[in-house]
Amino acid sequence: MGVGESVVRDDQGLERVRRLAQAKAAEGASLIQVLHAVQNSYGYLPIEVQRIVAEAMHAPLGTVSGVVTFYSFFSTEPSGRHGIRCCLGTACYVCGGVRLVDLLEELLHCKVGHTTADGMFRFEVARCIGACSLAPAIAIDDKVYAKVTTEALPGIISSYYEAEGSAR
């Protein structure tokens, strides 16, 4: 998805963002504080939301966008209902973590750093999830899966769809 593409279609949500950004700006909040408040309210910071924040803060859109893209705690895409982190720390990398990343991209039809089209998963890699003796490992939400194989991975993913009663 390119920077200029529109993903927001919720006019009420955008109006809520506008009021929040204006109120925070009027309180003297910094740009980062406003962005945190808006992301906590809206869930993410697509370009339309960044424009609203820029207007409220009387700042150039480039400045707002630069802050959003610089700090990893801001997201320009909606988060999935579940977060997947595939470990690529040294132990996991050596034990096949890259194969898991490749397979996850295939299974989820989604690249690292993005959310699946159905909104089920947000897919990230991590440099270490603290499970080196369990390599290769992935974490889905707060659950760590140890010694994950390419054969087991499809079943792990399917179990989340089954738990929500969703068909893949």
Side-chain angles (χ1 to χ4, degrees):
M1 185 168 6
V3 168
E5 289 185 56
S6 177
V7 294
V8 178
R9 291 169 179 48
D10 178 358
D11 292 336
Q12 287 181 332
L14 290 177
E15 186 53 38
R16 188 178 71 239
V17 164
R18 183 171 282 104
R19 287 191 308 270
L20 176 60
Q22 289 170 344
K24 289 290 187 184
E27 292 171 5
S30 71
L31 176 56
I32 289 178
Q33 290 170 319
V34 173
L35 289 169
H36 273 298
V38 168
Q39 181 168 279
N40 286 341
S41 172
Y42 199 78
Y44 66 115
L45 301 168
I47 195 70
E48 292 88 344
V49 169
Q50 293 175 46
R51 277 193 192 100
I52 291 169
V53 170
E55 289 169 12
M57 298 295 295
H58 305 289
L61 177 59
T63 299
V64 173
S65 184
V67 169
V68 167
T69 56
F70 180 79
Y71 291 103
S72 63
F73 46 80
F74 293 127
S75 177
T76 59
E77 290 193 21
S79 292
R81 292 186 297 284
H82 302 282
I84 296 179
R85 288 174 294 133
C86 187
C87 185
L88 287 182
T90 303
C92 288
Y93 184 89
V94 169
C95 291
V98 173
R99 286 192 311 270
L100 296 180
V101 169
D102 292 341
L103 182 55
L104 280 165
E105 286 182 342
E106 183 182 318
L107 291 170
L108 300 173
H109 307 287
C110 174
K111 294 287 185 190
V112 170
H114 295 277
T115 301
T116 57
D118 61 8
M120 180 68 93
F121 295 103
R122 172 80 179 170
F123 179 32
E124 303 285 346
V125 296
R127 291 296 150 216
C128 184
I129 61 172
C132 301
S133 64
L134 306 174
I138 65 168
I140 301 180
D141 300 330
D142 293 328
K143 182 173 182 176
V144 175
Y145 292 86
K147 300 186 184 296
V148 178
T149 64
T150 54
E151 294 78 22
L153 196 52
I156 293 169
I157 298 303
S158 292
S159 71
Y160 283 82
Y161 283 98
E162 291 165 9
E164 291 195 17
S166 303
R168 257 205 72 115

